[in-house]
């Protein structure tokens, strides 16, 4: 939860920037509909990554400065000079926030996967007929794809 609270602005801003840049890319490229199913998807992903990286570094520096200031103000650590402040800030920046961000990403990814699997399980409990038809359809598609790959049909 701390990582989700601390780093959610990064995700929200990156999503907004990616959406805006994707819309701009679609305006300038009329032929993108023929190339991809979702036009502007590559531009959206690129801008999300670029803005996310810049924002992550910016937020890490801000959070590290706030932590060093908090530690100094509350006298939780005795500072003997500027070098101690820098080393402590760098350790917090390089290790603590990065680990929290990485753990948050892994946890969020796992929770999304579990949520999707749970939703499918609950749906299949309430719709047994549709589940059977989807299972048979999946098996038929598997057979057709294997036959197509093996025989080139």
């Amino acid at each position: 939860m701390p990582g989700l609270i601390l780093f959610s602005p990064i995700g929200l801003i990156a999503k907004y920037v990616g959406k805006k840049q994707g819309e701009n890319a679609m305006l300038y490229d009329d032929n993108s509909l023929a190339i991809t199913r979702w036009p502007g998807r590559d531009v959206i992903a690129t801008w999300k990554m670029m803005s996310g990286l810049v924002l992550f570094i910016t937020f890490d520096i801000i959070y590290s400065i706030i932590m060093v200031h908090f530690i100094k103000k509350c006298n939780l650590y005795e500072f003997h000079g500027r070098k101690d402040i820098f080393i402590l800030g760098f350790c917090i920046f390089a290790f603590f926030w990065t680990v929290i961000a990485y753990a948050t990403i892994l946890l969020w990814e796992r929770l999304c996967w579990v949520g999707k699997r749970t939703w499918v399980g609950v749906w299949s409990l309430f719709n047994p007929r549709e589940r059977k038809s989807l299972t048979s359809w999946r098996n038929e598609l598997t057979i057709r794809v294997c036959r197509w790959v093996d025989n080139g049909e």
Side-chain angles (χ1 to χ4, degrees), residues 8 16 21 34-35 37 42 44 49 56 71 83 85-86 90 96 102 106 113 124-125 134 146:
S8 62
Y16 175 77
Q21 293 299 328
I35 298 170
R37 186 173 176 191
D42 55 341
I44 293 170
M49 287 298 297
F56 177 74
I71 289 171
K83 194 172 189 176
I85 295 171
F86 175 75
F90 182 77
F96 185 66
Y102 184 68
L106 290 180
W113 183 81
S124 66
L125 284 174
L134 283 176
C146 288

Side-chain angles (χ1 to χ4, degrees), residues 17 22 30 34 55 75 91 138 140 151:
V17 168
D30 295 333
L55 288 170
N75 292 327
C91 289
R138 183 185 67 202
E140 179 186 331
N151 301 330

Side-chain angles (χ1 to χ4, degrees), residues 81-99:
R82 291 191 171 272
K83 194 172 189 176
D84 285 348
I85 295 171
F86 175 75
I87 291 172
L88 181 64
F90 182 77
C91 289
I92 290 172
F93 167 69
F95 182 73
F96 185 66
W97 296 119
T98 307
V99 170

Side-chain angles (χ1 to χ4, degrees), residues 9-10 15 18 22 37 45 48 55 61-62 68 72 80 97 101 109 111 117 119 121 123-127 133 135 141:
I10 296 172
K15 184 177 179 179
R37 186 173 176 191
K48 278 184 178 182
L55 288 170
I61 291 170
I62 291 169
V68 169
K72 188 175 179 182
H80 297 291
W97 296 119
E109 185 177 285
L111 286 174
R117 299 292 294 174
W119 176 251
W123 178 84
S124 66
L125 284 174
F126 289 110
N127 301 310
S133 68
T135 304
L141 284 174

